[in-house]
Amino acid sequence: MHNSTGAGNGRVVAVVVTHQRLAQLRVTLPALLACDPQALAAVLVVDNASDDGTPEWLTAQSDPRLSVLRLDENRGGAGGFEAGMRRAMRDLSPDWIVVMDDDARPEPGAMAAFQALDLSGYDGFAAAVRHPNGALCEMNRPTYNPFWHKGILLRTLLGGGRGAFHLGPEDFATPGLRAIDGASFVGFFVRAATVQRRGYPDPALFLYGDDAIYTMGLSKAGHRLGFDPSVRFEHDSSTYSAADPRIKPLWKVYYYHRNLLILYRIATGIFFVPVLCLYLPKWLLRLRHHRGERGRFLRLFGLALIDGLRRRTDRARAEVLRIAEGRR
């Protein structure tokens, strides 16, 4: 790939995956197109078969940096990112690809801050992601794999929990580039040369964990990922609710647990079995929140366990939906 913009890290192409959230896309796309073309060369929106007015709205946009890839079915986040990254590599000549959901966008100056970094020696990079109110976005905190770092593993075992192996407020407040092991697909930049070498996210994962599986897989293969808090993204997400701990809709029970098992196998190595024994009871405790649908929860959970342990990702989505809806 080539540096055709004159910008520090070359030609950056954004890939945004959207599904039925036109109101969010109306905020995200203008935020991207407001970036200096030297800092952001092109934007590709992947429309996951939306029927909420998204196709018509996108057709009405005239910015020459915008490309649209409309899929004929909803392939989930994983399928959307895989398709979008493939199209970007084929048609848009990137040096770097940056990926995000439709409810996430760079803050003003973020792309220029990325271009100002010296990323020689790095193959991927994670932005600092916050909610619109400025609070750190829990689901998008970059991570270390405790099983690759003895000190972090010890802190985790001594009660540090997620905070022991995820970047926290002090990391977001401390300037400078530092290495990480994994990241989310909100403000994640990956070199085109790395994509050429290592491939794409697995579209069969559909949703949940596809970003952690991809980025942790890059680290495991010897690629170096970085983080610097000067590159700031906003994520206007309300996915998780403390008031309602259920997994909704119910079909997500399958993908959530199956993909976590695949991720844990990558992350834990020889510790996979003891970690599985630790987490299985915790996952089953979620059953108590699903009154009236516990039988369906257990069927989906059982399939997730079988497929996750076998690393099987080809189960038809129609079967998962049928079980979740209680149809025979």
Side-chain angles (χ1 to χ4, degrees):
M1 296 297 165
H2 57 279
N3 182 339
S4 61
T5 66
N9 285 305
R11 183 177 168 85
V12 177
V13 173
V15 172
V16 184
V17 175
T18 189
H19 175 65
Q20 305 289 65
R21 287 200 294 206
L22 178 56
Q24 290 286 3
L25 191 63
R26 283 178 178 270
V27 181
T28 295
L29 186 57
L32 286 164
L33 295 175
C35 297
D36 188 323
Q38 291 286 102
L40 181 63
V43 179
L44 172 65
V45 174
V46 181
D47 177 12
N48 246 331
S50 301
D51 60 7
D52 62 345
T54 294
E56 294 80 6
W57 184 77
L58 285 170
T59 300
Q61 305 309 304
S62 59
D63 193 296
R65 283 186 291 166
L66 174 64
S67 302
V68 177
L69 171 59
R70 178 163 170 81
L71 304 180
D72 56 4
E73 62 179 356
N74 178 14
R75 301 185 196 173
F81 284 120
E82 185 260 354
M85 289 169 67
R86 280 189 188 277
R87 178 63 62 87
M89 290 287 288
R90 191 189 81 183
D91 293 349
L92 299 174
S93 302
D95 294 301
W96 290 82
I97 293 173
V98 56
V99 293
M100 67 205 74
D101 296 325
D102 51 13
D103 59 355
R105 68 277 310 191
E107 292 189 11
M111 302 306 296
F114 172 80
Q115 292 288 4
L117 294 172
D118 179 4
L119 290 173
S120 52
Y122 286 90
D123 301 304
F125 176 85
V129 185
R130 291 174 171 82
H131 290 292
N133 66 4
L136 269 59
C137 198
E138 179 65 30
M139 73 178 79
N140 304 127
R141 289 161 64 187
T143 183
Y144 299 107
N145 180 357
F147 295 94
W148 297 343
H149 308 277
K150 291 179 182 176
I152 295 173
L153 179 59
L154 183 62
R155 289 202 300 273
T156 305
L157 294 174
L158 291 176
R162 278 177 56 86
F165 58 92
H166 285 79
L167 270 57
E170 67 286 353
D171 300 290
F172 279 61
T174 305
L177 187 62
R178 77 287 319 247
I180 56 171
D181 295 330
S184 74
F185 277 174
V186 169
F188 179 69
F189 298 73
V190 60
R191 280 190 193 275
T194 303
V195 176
Q196 281 182 323
R197 186 173 176 190
R198 295 296 174 190
Y200 297 86
D202 181 356
L205 293 170
F206 195 71
L207 83 171
Y208 286 133
D210 50 300
D211 45 9
I213 289 168
Y214 185 73
T215 57
M216 202 77 76
L218 290 179
S219 292
K220 189 173 183 179
H223 294 281
R224 197 171 183 216
L225 311 184
F227 167 83
D228 188 299
S230 66
V231 182
R232 294 175 56 135
F233 269 61
E234 173 188 283
H235 194 186
D236 187 14
S237 169
S238 56
T239 298
Y240 298 105
S241 166
D244 187 353
R246 290 176 297 168
I247 298 176
K248 296 191 298 182
L250 190 64
W251 56 262
K252 291 185 176 181
V253 168
Y254 171 77
Y255 295 103
Y256 178 83
H257 293 100
R258 182 198 67 183
N259 294 355
L260 270 181
L261 286 170
I262 294 171
L263 172 62
Y264 286 172
R265 191 185 289 276
I266 294 170
T268 59
I270 62 171
F271 299 102
F272 177 65
V273 171
V275 167
L276 183 61
C277 293
L278 176 69
Y279 275 96
L280 273 178
K282 292 183 178 181
W283 290 343
L284 280 169
L285 272 176
R286 293 194 176 113
L287 191 62
R288 70 188 189 276
H289 302 303
H290 287 267
R291 287 181 184 167
E293 55 188 16
R294 287 174 178 166
R296 286 174 285 153
F297 180 103
L298 283 173
R299 285 192 67 194
L300 290 166
F301 183 82
L303 278 185
L305 189 61
I306 291 167
D307 290 351
L309 290 173
R310 293 177 175 174
R311 287 175 272 198
R312 176 185 173 185
T313 59
D314 62 348
R315 189 173 297 277
R317 185 158 181 255
E319 181 183 356
V320 175
L321 292 173
R322 179 174 54 76
I323 293 169
E325 293 165 6
R327 295 183 280 117
R328 295 192 176 276

